[in-house]
Amino acid sequence: IYPPRCPACGDSVGEQGGLCHACWDELVIPSEPSCRLCQRPFGESGPKHGAICAPCLADPPVHDRISAGTLYGETARKLILALKHGGRIALAPMLGRLIAARIPETGAGENRIIVPVPLHRRRLWQRGYNQAALLGRELEKLGHGKLVVDALVRTRPTPSLGGLGAKARKKVLAGAIAINPKARADLDGADVLLVDDVLTSGATSSTCVKVLKRAGARTVRIACFARVLEEAKGLSRRAA
């Protein structure tokens, strides 16, 4: 009934579910070569692909890899807000495809499971859905593993972590995320894709990774639509 519009800017597009050329061009897709552990782009003058970046060498991450569909920028922000707070759940397939494009096929198999970062039940009731679970469902459809939507649970609500230091974030998250006892059998020896819409400080995802590994997960790869990197702010897709 309604003509298709770009979900980021509202301009006309050829079909529903796609971006206009200008907004697509503004998405910052992580480039290669990149860090072997966190996928931080090195740039053309940096180390070769497979090296480890300075932040990961200084503070080794608890996760095994990061697969980010985009680097956080203005267009990515609009898409995340539309999905997360605007009720635009029809964006999940497009965002899921962008994440899937960054996940290597190597290692996929029967023991790979997809686990969304959980929402507290109060937040879930207010929003009506968990955007990370919607993205996880799309990754399942694309053959990247079995979705276990309730493998992790939030035992209590937590405030926004924005503006907090590392110690304060750790204190806020202490004991806030736990394993659902029903999921322990699925996690034992599994390769996990931990899915979220955006990766900012990494405090929440690191807490999830630790909980999953204590429950028996063999590896945990973080898969997100957008990753916040200070050095990537202001870049366009062509400059990434």
Side-chain angles (χ1 to χ4, degrees):
I1 297 176
Y2 299 104
R5 298 285 182 180
C6 173
C9 71
D11 284 351
S12 298
V13 291
E15 60 182 17
Q16 297 284 3
L19 296 175
C20 69
H21 176 77
C23 287
W24 173 251
D25 206 40
E26 288 301 314
L27 279 182
V28 185
I29 308 299
S31 60
E32 301 295 347
S34 63
C35 172
R36 176 167 58 85
L37 294 181
C38 77
Q39 204 187 56
R40 183 187 301 270
F42 287 136
E44 295 180 359
S45 60
K48 294 182 179 180
H49 183 65
I52 298 175
C53 68
C56 286
L57 286 172
D59 185 15
V62 295
H63 62 73
D64 293 279
R65 296 288 190 276
I66 293 176
S67 292
T70 67
L71 300 183
Y72 192 83
E74 184 59 23
T75 298
R77 184 186 71 86
K78 291 178 181 178
L79 294 172
I80 290 167
L81 290 177
L83 173 66
K84 193 170 185 175
H85 301 296
R88 303 285 297 277
I89 62 175
L91 289 174
M94 180 181 68
L95 273 57
R97 289 194 299 271
L98 286 167
I99 298 172
R102 303 293 296 171
I103 301 174
E105 292 294 335
T106 304
E110 293 182 359
N111 69 329
R112 176 185 277 181
I113 67 170
I114 300 168
V115 175
V117 170
L119 288 180
H120 186 261
R121 61 181 179 274
R122 186 184 304 166
R123 185 70 58 82
L124 187 59
W125 291 338
Q126 292 171 344
R127 189 173 299 165
Y129 57 90
N130 179 355
Q131 71 280 355
L134 295 179
L135 295 174
R137 183 172 63 184
E138 297 305 320
L139 293 178
E140 182 183 47
K141 290 178 182 178
L142 293 169
H144 285 284
K146 169 190 172 185
L147 176 63
V148 183
V149 71
D150 58 351
L152 291 173
V153 294
R154 289 229 184 205
T155 60
R156 55 181 171 80
T158 54
S160 171
L161 302 180
L164 298 179
K167 289 184 178 179
R169 292 195 296 265
K170 186 176 180 180
K171 183 178 181 180
V172 167
L173 290 167
I177 296 174
I179 294 293
N180 184 338
K182 297 179 181 178
R184 287 192 177 275
D186 291 310
L187 291 170
D188 189 25
D191 295 310
V192 176
L193 282 180
L194 177 66
V195 182
D196 206 357
D197 55 341
V198 59
L199 179 66
T200 50
S201 68
T204 300
S205 59
S206 293
T207 299
C208 292
V209 171
K210 292 174 183 176
V211 170
L212 288 165
K213 289 197 171 183
R214 284 199 297 266
R218 189 174 73 92
T219 63
V220 181
R221 176 189 290 267
I222 298 170
C224 61
F225 169 65
R227 181 185 178 195
V228 177
L229 285 179
E230 288 297 324
E231 61 266 38
K233 288 184 177 180
L235 289 178
S236 68
R237 185 178 176 220
R238 286 173 293 206

